[in-house]
Amino acid sequence: AVVETAGRGDGKRYRLPTEADLAAYRAAEAALARKVETLRAQWGMEPVPDEPLPPRGTLSFRIQGYGLDTWGDLFNPRQRLALLVFADAVRRAHQAMLAEGHAADFARAVTTYLALCFDRLISSYNSLCRWQPAGEKIADVFSRHALPMVWDFAETNPLGSASRSWNELFTDTINAL
């Protein structure tokens, strides 16, 4: 299902995905392949984490039996693409600040704050997030202090203004700082 805000009100509207929704997902798969190749060449490393998850039986890791064997498997192609774009933007922000003449300590501090926001986005934008009926919002991956398989997978738009979007997470991080 696709969840949308119901106009100017606080309510939500639920609908089936359209062909346009599915086409956008397929387009993200193709764009991901191109982005991975580009970043692999720029960064000199694999941009999508391919390290194995802890072995089966490790406390609170119960997902390996479902085909999730590496850290990168925790994200669908659309999520991988979005997260790579954000990671690349954080890296480029540091370089841009230095190029503009900002002090290295300043650039490092700002990049650290952006990385904190990015970290929060990762925990909110993965295939183990679940839908929280109370409040009609997404619960991030660590809402249960474990990495169990979830059956009600939910995904937010990281560019929107809804719960768990970059804007919300950035504002929350800045307020905490």
Side-chain angles (χ1 to χ4, degrees), residues 116-127:
L116 290 171
C117 297
F118 180 66
D119 180 69
R120 294 192 65 214
L121 184 66
I122 291 169
S123 71
S124 302
Y125 200 57
N126 61 76
S127 61

Side-chain angles (χ1 to χ4, degrees), residues 99-162:
E100 291 173 5
H102 293 283
D105 286 345
F106 174 82
R108 188 178 311 113
V110 171
T111 303
T112 299
Y113 298 147
L114 291 172
L116 290 171
C117 297
F118 180 66
D119 180 69
R120 294 192 65 214
L121 184 66
I122 291 169
S123 71
S124 302
Y125 200 57
N126 61 76
S127 61
L128 296 178
C129 289
R130 60 186 174 81
W131 186 247
Q132 206 171 19
E136 294 185 297
K137 59 185 180 179
I138 291 175
D140 75 35
V141 69
F142 293 114
S143 62
R144 295 186 54 208
H145 305 288
L147 284 179
M149 178 51 85
V150 295
W151 304 110
D152 56 350
F153 161 66
E155 179 181 18
T156 191
N157 176 357
L159 300 176
S161 58

Side-chain angles (χ1 to χ4, degrees), residues 18-34:
T18 64
E19 185 52 44
D21 295 323
L22 299 174
Y25 188 86
R26 289 188 294 273
E29 289 177 315
L32 172 64
R34 293 188 302 273

